[in-house]
Amino acid sequence: MSDKYDVIVIGAGPGGYVAAIKAAQLGLKTACVESWISKDGKHKLGGTCLNVGCIPSKALLEISHKFEEANHGFADQGIMAKDVKIDIAKMMERKSGIVEQLTGGIAGLFKSNGVTTIQGHGKLLANRQIEVTDSDNNKQVYEAENVIIATGSKPIQIPPAPFKEGYIVDSEGALEFDEVPKRLGVIGAGVIGLELGSVWARLGSEVTVIEAQDSFLPVVDQQVAKDALKQFKKQGLQIELGSRMTGAEVKRKLVYVNYENASGKQEQKFDKLIVAVGRRPYTDNLLSADAGVNLDERGFIFVDDTCQTDAPGVWAVGDVVRGPMLAHKASEEGIMVAERIAGHKPQVNYDCIPNVIYTFPEVAWVGKTEEQVKADGDAYKVGTFPFAANGRAMAANSASGLVKIIADEKTDRILGFHVTGPQASEIVAQGVIAMEFGSSAEDLALTCFAHPTLSESVHEAALAVNDGAIHIANRRKKK
Ligand code: FAD
Ligand code: NAD
């Protein structure tokens, strides 16, 4: 048995590494167990987010957006850029460089905060003992007063489209194509399907997205989703809703995909197929039978509102527990748990977690959709403002999309804040802050916003909730 720790975290993604740093900052003797080994054989911290998720996907989204703009958006602005080409190897090198810098940064943060890194696969035994198996299969047992499980999630594989290296890939494979596929199929019009579909479409692929559900982005406010769908179609993304996959097979270096929809049986051939139908909580070989930690009916580690499991002193955060699979939700939970172990009593406000889809236009929201508010049965009012009437958006050549604010009819308190358009990912933070402070639409309407900014659309939408926006015909809508 090795030294005893106050806290051992299993997993160094945004849930685990943030929890470990916060615990160490609070004076707790902390270690973090991590098993990630990159394709070049290096131990890496940072989890899905930094290695194969948020960061590399955003690097490719940024680069491909610039390429798309140079090809299709510059001429309207008087910039003549002829024969713009993409060097895929160089683009991937840049993406890998960013990942390398950030994952190395976590190692530096662990060092400076005094977090011990333990390399290997952790398994929770009874009484908060953790057996760690390293890459040479050596085993060592550690003990802690508190354990935080932050083992994340893995892509779901579906029987009609089993992964086949180089052809039928998950999101990780889709971040590594060494050339632009001429025809790209994507199964699932969720966040990953739309983001990675957009990357390759901008670089020249003909992209078809096959989605099982009849409605597009059903979790998103439908006014916003419809607006975004129009833009995606304009960009050439072919989105087939209500389509049930029946099979995918690799023949003669092509992927033949069969599915059925309202128009009957369909067959398409693609050079590559991305399967992006969701992720599952990752608990493989994690819990011994006597660890005392239970899973819920969908395989997530069962926790209460404060991320405590059924085993005393064992906590779980991030993708491996209920709630949205988002890096910032994982980190919020990590901080809450570290603080609770140190004796404080913070709470995550699950009603104020923003969501962003990093397409162009971006789609971002916090709080309830109009459909949810309607279903709740309470009276509400809505204000919207289109970026088409915003001077800064026009100047930036990106005047599409809208801001939509939903407020309680009686109290005027903001219930939902939705944006599709340029920099929606940044603008939504204003809605998060407003909702965290329990603001009314009038509070935002009485706030002074700099001119000219995209954020003025927030001001105008807030004005539209009550007395009317200034720069457009009154869009006030009482329900
Ligand atoms: P993870 O990041 O999955 O980390 C878990 C870690 O635990 C891993 O490093 C794993 O190796 C380690 N581990 C697992 N089991 C063990 C074990 N038994 N012993 C030791 N170590 C173990 N979210 C956003 O908020 N914004 C985005 O833009 C975004 N983009 C994404 C893009 C893609 C392509 C993908 C796939 C995901 C994206 N996500 C995004 C989701 C985000 O990556 C996850 O929500 C986030 O990483 C979850 O953090 P986590 O700490 O719970 O788990
Ligand atoms: P998702 O749940 O967002 O979307 C999956 C889509 O696949 C859904 O629309 C679903 O209806 C569809 N689907 C499921 N089975 C299908 C089938 N057999 N045939 C056709 N369609 C099918 O999941 P995802 O896009 O894989 O992303 C996984 C997780 O990663 C998400 O929970 C998301 O929160 C997270 N993520 C977040 C971001 C971000 O915050 N920007 C980016 C990427 C991933």
Side-chain angles (χ1 to χ4, degrees), residues 54-75:
C54 320
I55 298 301
S57 61
K58 267 74 246 177
L60 297 191
L61 278 156
E62 291 291 347
I63 296 168
S64 60
H65 179 62
K66 290 196 170 99
F67 179 72
E68 157 83 12
E69 237 199 330
N71 268 320
H72 298 115
F74 275 8

Short mmCIF file of all heavy atoms in Angstrom, two decimals, residues 54-75:
data_model
loop_
_atom_site.label_atom_id
_atom_site.label_comp_id
_atom_site.label_asym_id
_atom_site.label_seq_id
_atom_site.Cartn_x
_atom_site.Cartn_y
_atom_site.Cartn_z
N CYS A 54 -13.34 18.93 -27.75
CA CYS A 54 -13.61 20.36 -27.89
C CYS A 54 -12.49 21.09 -28.64
O CYS A 54 -12.76 21.83 -29.60
CB CYS A 54 -13.72 21.04 -26.51
SG CYS A 54 -14.58 20.07 -25.27
N ILE A 55 -11.27 20.90 -28.19
CA ILE A 55 -10.17 21.74 -28.71
C ILE A 55 -9.78 21.38 -30.14
O ILE A 55 -9.78 22.26 -31.02
CB ILE A 55 -8.97 21.70 -27.73
CG1 ILE A 55 -9.40 22.30 -26.37
CG2 ILE A 55 -7.76 22.41 -28.31
CD1 ILE A 55 -9.90 23.74 -26.42
N PRO A 56 -9.46 20.11 -30.45
CA PRO A 56 -9.11 19.84 -31.86
C PRO A 56 -10.25 20.13 -32.82
O PRO A 56 -10.02 20.60 -33.94
CB PRO A 56 -8.73 18.35 -31.87
CG PRO A 56 -9.24 17.79 -30.58
CD PRO A 56 -9.28 18.91 -29.59
N SER A 57 -11.51 19.89 -32.38
CA SER A 57 -12.63 20.17 -33.30
C SER A 57 -12.75 21.67 -33.55
O SER A 57 -13.03 22.10 -34.66
CB SER A 57 -13.94 19.57 -32.79
OG SER A 57 -14.30 20.13 -31.54
N LYS A 58 -12.52 22.46 -32.49
CA LYS A 58 -12.63 23.91 -32.70
C LYS A 58 -11.48 24.43 -33.54
O LYS A 58 -11.64 25.38 -34.32
CB LYS A 58 -12.69 24.66 -31.36
CG LYS A 58 -14.10 24.91 -30.88
CD LYS A 58 -14.80 23.70 -30.36
CE LYS A 58 -15.96 23.15 -31.05
NZ LYS A 58 -16.50 21.92 -30.44
N ALA A 59 -10.31 23.82 -33.44
CA ALA A 59 -9.18 24.22 -34.30
C ALA A 59 -9.57 24.00 -35.76
O ALA A 59 -9.40 24.89 -36.61
CB ALA A 59 -7.93 23.42 -33.94
N LEU A 60 -10.15 22.84 -36.06
CA LEU A 60 -10.52 22.56 -37.46
C LEU A 60 -11.69 23.44 -37.90
O LEU A 60 -11.76 23.85 -39.06
CB LEU A 60 -10.88 21.07 -37.64
CG LEU A 60 -9.76 20.07 -37.37
CD1 LEU A 60 -10.18 18.67 -37.85
CD2 LEU A 60 -8.45 20.46 -38.06
N LEU A 61 -12.61 23.74 -36.98
CA LEU A 61 -13.74 24.62 -37.34
C LEU A 61 -13.23 26.02 -37.67
O LEU A 61 -13.68 26.65 -38.64
CB LEU A 61 -14.76 24.67 -36.19
CG LEU A 61 -15.74 23.49 -36.18
CD1 LEU A 61 -16.31 23.25 -34.79
CD2 LEU A 61 -16.88 23.70 -37.19
N GLU A 62 -12.29 26.52 -36.88
CA GLU A 62 -11.76 27.88 -37.14
C GLU A 62 -11.05 27.93 -38.49
O GLU A 62 -11.25 28.84 -39.28
CB GLU A 62 -10.77 28.29 -36.03
CG GLU A 62 -11.40 28.55 -34.67
CD GLU A 62 -12.27 29.81 -34.62
OE1 GLU A 62 -12.21 30.61 -35.56
OE2 GLU A 62 -13.03 29.95 -33.64
N ILE A 63 -10.19 26.93 -38.73
CA ILE A 63 -9.39 26.94 -39.97
C ILE A 63 -10.31 26.78 -41.19
O ILE A 63 -10.20 27.52 -42.17
CB ILE A 63 -8.32 25.82 -39.94
CG1 ILE A 63 -7.32 26.09 -38.81
CG2 ILE A 63 -7.61 25.70 -41.29
CD1 ILE A 63 -6.39 24.92 -38.49
N SER A 64 -11.24 25.83 -41.09
CA SER A 64 -12.12 25.59 -42.25
C SER A 64 -13.02 26.79 -42.50
O SER A 64 -13.36 27.09 -43.64
CB SER A 64 -12.94 24.31 -42.06
OG SER A 64 -13.75 24.41 -40.91
N HIS A 65 -13.41 27.51 -41.44
CA HIS A 65 -14.23 28.71 -41.63
C HIS A 65 -13.46 29.78 -42.40
O HIS A 65 -13.99 30.44 -43.30
CB HIS A 65 -14.70 29.25 -40.28
CG HIS A 65 -15.55 30.49 -40.40
ND1 HIS A 65 -16.75 30.49 -41.08
CD2 HIS A 65 -15.36 31.76 -39.98
CE1 HIS A 65 -17.26 31.71 -41.06
NE2 HIS A 65 -16.43 32.50 -40.40
N LYS A 66 -12.17 29.91 -42.05
CA LYS A 66 -11.34 30.91 -42.76
C LYS A 66 -11.23 30.54 -44.23
O LYS A 66 -11.30 31.40 -45.12
CB LYS A 66 -9.95 30.99 -42.13
CG LYS A 66 -9.98 31.62 -40.74
CD LYS A 66 -8.58 32.03 -40.31
CE LYS A 66 -8.65 32.87 -39.06
NZ LYS A 66 -8.36 32.13 -37.84
N PHE A 67 -11.05 29.25 -44.49
CA PHE A 67 -10.91 28.77 -45.87
C PHE A 67 -12.19 29.05 -46.65
O PHE A 67 -12.16 29.56 -47.77
CB PHE A 67 -10.61 27.26 -45.84
CG PHE A 67 -10.47 26.65 -47.20
CD1 PHE A 67 -9.36 26.90 -47.99
CD2 PHE A 67 -11.46 25.80 -47.70
CE1 PHE A 67 -9.23 26.33 -49.25
CE2 PHE A 67 -11.33 25.24 -48.95
CZ PHE A 67 -10.23 25.49 -49.73
N GLU A 68 -13.31 28.73 -46.02
CA GLU A 68 -14.63 28.95 -46.65
C GLU A 68 -14.83 30.44 -46.96
O GLU A 68 -15.28 30.82 -48.04
CB GLU A 68 -15.71 28.43 -45.68
CG GLU A 68 -17.09 29.00 -45.83
CD GLU A 68 -17.90 28.32 -46.92
OE1 GLU A 68 -17.46 27.26 -47.39
OE2 GLU A 68 -18.94 28.89 -47.30
N GLU A 69 -14.47 31.28 -45.98
CA GLU A 69 -14.64 32.73 -46.17
C GLU A 69 -13.77 33.23 -47.31
O GLU A 69 -14.23 34.02 -48.15
CB GLU A 69 -14.22 33.44 -44.88
CG GLU A 69 -15.31 34.29 -44.31
CD GLU A 69 -14.78 35.31 -43.35
OE1 GLU A 69 -13.74 35.07 -42.70
OE2 GLU A 69 -15.42 36.37 -43.26
N ALA A 70 -12.51 32.76 -47.33
CA ALA A 70 -11.60 33.21 -48.38
C ALA A 70 -12.13 32.80 -49.75
O ALA A 70 -12.02 33.54 -50.73
CB ALA A 70 -10.21 32.62 -48.15
N ASN A 71 -12.75 31.62 -49.82
CA ASN A 71 -13.27 31.14 -51.10
C ASN A 71 -14.57 31.78 -51.51
O ASN A 71 -14.79 32.04 -52.68
CB ASN A 71 -13.48 29.62 -51.03
CG ASN A 71 -12.25 28.88 -51.49
OD1 ASN A 71 -11.61 29.28 -52.44
ND2 ASN A 71 -11.91 27.81 -50.79
N HIS A 72 -15.45 32.00 -50.53
CA HIS A 72 -16.81 32.43 -50.89
C HIS A 72 -17.25 33.76 -50.31
O HIS A 72 -18.23 34.32 -50.76
CB HIS A 72 -17.83 31.34 -50.51
CG HIS A 72 -17.59 30.06 -51.22
ND1 HIS A 72 -17.23 28.90 -50.57
CD2 HIS A 72 -17.61 29.76 -52.54
CE1 HIS A 72 -17.06 27.94 -51.46
NE2 HIS A 72 -17.29 28.43 -52.66
N GLY A 73 -16.55 34.26 -49.29
CA GLY A 73 -17.04 35.48 -48.64
C GLY A 73 -16.22 36.72 -48.96
O GLY A 73 -16.66 37.84 -48.72
N PHE A 74 -15.01 36.53 -49.49
CA PHE A 74 -14.12 37.68 -49.67
C PHE A 74 -14.53 38.57 -50.84
O PHE A 74 -14.45 39.79 -50.75
CB PHE A 74 -12.68 37.20 -49.89
CG PHE A 74 -11.92 36.92 -48.61
CD1 PHE A 74 -12.57 36.95 -47.39
CD2 PHE A 74 -10.56 36.64 -48.65
CE1 PHE A 74 -11.88 36.68 -46.22
CE2 PHE A 74 -9.86 36.39 -47.48
CZ PHE A 74 -10.52 36.41 -46.27
N ALA A 75 -14.92 37.94 -51.96
CA ALA A 75 -15.16 38.71 -53.19
C ALA A 75 -16.19 39.81 -52.96
O ALA A 75 -16.00 40.95 -53.42
CB ALA A 75 -15.59 37.77 -54.31
#
